Amino acid sequence: VVTWGDAARGGDSSAVADRLAAGVTAIYSTDAAFAAVKEGGEVVTWGDAGYGGDSSAVADRLAAGVTAVYSNDAAFAAVKEGGEVVTWGDAARGGDSSAVADRLAAGVTAVYSNTSAFAAVKEG
């Protein structure tokens, strides 16, 4: 992965360059951060922490098994095998899904977003 542009908004990925050197299958973005999905479903993030560039709070849940990532202006939502949803980024824009965590623990089949929120469709 090669990045350029505004360093504070994701143009500088040097802090995670070793993790981006190989195996990246897709990259997603918010207004100021990126999330790369690697083979095996690991997610690597960089950019402005307030826009999802820092996923350290959920890193253990993003280490493997992610099958899809969705984003809005300032937050990300990752769907894992089995339909668990993991979110990070601006809490007010969907980065904090703790209020509905029990409903996002499994069975999610699709996620949709607008500029500041997410909606998930579950099985059945």
Side-chain angles (χ1 to χ4, degrees), residues 3-122:
T3 59
W4 65 96
D6 187 339
R9 299 177 73 86
D12 178 5
S13 59
S14 59
V16 292
D18 58 327
R19 297 172 62 198
L20 298 175
V24 173
T25 60
I27 298 176
Y28 304 89
S29 64
T30 61
D31 283 355
F34 292 95
V37 180
K38 299 184 66 174
E39 295 168 355
E42 175 190 4
V43 175
V44 179
T45 60
W46 70 97
D48 189 309
Y51 287 79
D54 178 2
S55 58
S56 58
V58 292
D60 59 326
R61 296 167 63 198
L62 298 176
V66 171
T67 59
V69 174
Y70 302 89
S71 63
N72 62 26
D73 286 358
F76 292 98
V79 179
K80 298 188 67 174
E81 297 165 352
E84 174 191 3
V85 176
V86 180
T87 60
W88 70 97
D90 185 340
R93 294 185 184 177
D96 178 1
S97 57
S98 59
V100 291
D102 59 324
R103 296 165 63 194
L104 299 177
V108 171
T109 58
V111 174
Y112 300 90
S113 64
N114 62 24
T115 60
S116 301
F118 294 98
V121 176
K122 294 192 67 172

